[in-house]
Amino acid sequence: MKINDEDELKLPVKLRDHQGNLIIIYISYADEGITFSYLESSATYPEELNILGWLESVTKKKILHFPKNLDYIYEECEQNPENILSIFYHYFSAIRYL
């Protein structure tokens, strides 16, 4: 986990492309939604509804095993903001120690 310039907690997440290569992105939650970051790019759900398409365009790789129920995950984060880390660990391949 790391803290960005806005003091927002960002959780590292492991993704795999279709060739098995590791990709690390960061996710965070705020009032605007769930933000996904890769290198210098970021997109926030629900403003950007096609997060998987966005990730594949910025990484230039076909991503495997990405959660398809972002609506449900976002609602769960809204209803339980004190459990964001548990929610992210449950739905994403979150890296607990980096």
Side-chain angles (χ1 to χ4, degrees):
M1 290 180 283
K2 71 178 189 174
I3 307 280
N4 68 8
D5 296 337
E6 295 86 34
D7 294 330
E8 179 180 271
L9 185 63
K10 288 188 161 194
L11 185 67
V13 172
K14 293 186 286 187
L15 300 175
R16 296 275 177 191
D17 69 9
H18 66 286
Q19 296 176 331
N21 298 315
L22 179 66
I23 300 166
I24 296 178
I25 65 166
Y26 289 88
I27 58 175
S28 61
Y29 175 78
D31 291 339
E32 312 74 62
I34 302 172
T35 299
F36 296 81
S37 303
Y38 178 75
L39 300 177
E40 298 296 319
S41 300
S42 65
T44 301
Y45 181 88
E47 181 180 316
E48 170 61 59
L49 292 176
N50 186 5
I51 292 294
L52 179 57
W54 173 83
L55 278 170
E56 290 181 341
S57 73
V58 296
T59 62
K60 309 281 190 268
K61 300 181 186 280
K62 176 116 176 90
I63 305 293
L64 298 179
H65 309 296
F66 190 79
K68 299 197 181 343
N69 54 350
L70 286 179
D71 282 337
Y72 180 77
I73 297 168
Y74 177 62
E75 285 176 22
E76 198 168 331
C77 289
E78 280 185 315
Q79 294 170 2
N80 303 297
E82 67 282 351
N83 292 326
I84 297 297
L85 288 178
S86 296
I87 294 166
F88 284 170
Y89 286 137
H90 180 76
Y91 290 104
F92 299 95
S93 296
I95 301 170
R96 294 183 186 269
Y97 306 102
L98 186 63

